[in-house]
Amino acid sequence: MSKIFVQDNFFPQKEYSIICEELLNIHYVVPDKVEREIQDGSTYWHTHTLPSRCEVKDLIRNLIKKYFLFTTNSKKHKTMYTMVGATDEPRPHADDFCEAQCLIYMIGDEKLNNGTAFYTKEKDKDAILNSHIGFKRNRAIFFTGGTYHCPLHPFAKEGESSWRYSIVNFLNEPTPS
């Protein structure tokens, strides 16, 4: 069963501002053509993966524990800065390789269609839109692994969405053998 929790004002204001500055001044990796084909043309993100040990990840881990009462193993916690924009159609997906996720909205226009759509999906059936959460700066969305979701950008009419910068956290991933 999917569970979704929202926490506004996730970061203290000083740390939020520092991280936003970093988000705007780093190099993002665009998936190559092969990776986009593997994803079947789905939404793809420009990403920057944070190192295993860093202050931002430690801060996020502590805030997840504070707000969502969830403890994550630092060795099984992957964090990425992401940029995502418009796509041609919604492509719900489930990141079922982790126990939970925490998506933190950082920079972008505070519009519904910059947010995230959540779906229900029964075995061998199409995913059905169930709920959505709009973009608000410094908002964290914590949800169980395997929850179907996708950016709301494809639902937008002209001018109803923009690029968004977020921080994606995959929590308690399996350790490679």
Side-chain angles (χ1 to χ4, degrees):
M1 174 191 264
S2 299
K3 294 182 181 180
I4 303 169
F5 304 92
V6 177
Q7 175 64 49
D8 287 339
N9 302 312
F10 183 75
F11 290 114
Q13 189 57 48
K14 179 181 175 188
E15 286 80 358
Y16 171 78
S17 297
I18 291 168
I19 296 168
C20 285
E21 185 69 29
E22 185 174 321
L23 282 164
L24 294 172
N25 290 298
I26 59 168
H27 174 72
Y28 289 88
V29 176
V30 178
D32 62 26
K33 183 178 179 189
V34 172
E35 182 62 27
R36 289 191 306 268
E37 287 172 1
I38 290 169
Q39 296 174 12
D40 192 27
S42 69
T43 303
Y44 63 89
W45 292 257
H46 298 72
T47 63
H48 175 88
T49 302
L50 274 64
S52 298
R53 292 282 185 185
C54 72
E55 289 180 28
V56 173
K57 278 181 75 169
D58 291 341
L59 175 60
I60 291 169
R61 200 169 22 262
N62 290 333
L63 292 172
I64 287 172
K65 185 176 181 179
K66 173 183 174 182
Y67 292 125
F68 305 116
L69 306 176
F70 183 89
T71 304
T72 182
N73 180 333
S74 62
K75 293 179 183 174
K76 297 179 179 186
H77 177 174
K78 182 177 182 180
T79 300
M80 296 185 301
Y81 291 162
T82 65
M83 269 187 350
V84 67
T87 59
D88 58 343
E89 65 183 80
R91 291 186 174 88
H93 66 282
D95 301 307
D96 52 8
F97 54 83
C98 60
E99 188 177 343
Q101 285 182 251
C102 185
L103 171 62
I104 309 163
Y105 297 147
M106 298 298 289
I107 302 169
D109 292 343
E110 292 193 355
K111 296 181 176 183
L112 174 64
N113 288 321
N114 278 350
T116 304
F118 291 93
Y119 294 77
T120 55
K121 183 169 177 13
E122 294 180 26
K123 189 176 183 179
D124 300 327
K125 293 187 178 180
D126 289 338
I128 299 169
L129 181 63
N130 177 283
S131 60
H132 55 270
I133 298 173
F135 182 95
K136 182 178 179 186
R137 290 178 200 95
N138 204 12
R139 170 178 282 167
I141 305 169
F142 181 89
F143 52 99
T144 51
T147 301
Y148 279 80
H149 63 284
C150 73
L152 281 166
H153 292 84
F155 294 101
K157 294 176 185 161
E158 179 96 20
E160 291 181 346
S161 71
S162 67
W163 281 91
R164 79 171 190 214
Y165 292 81
S166 303
I167 304 174
V168 177
N169 296 272
F170 298 108
L171 308 170
N172 294 346
E173 291 186 299
T175 309
S177 314

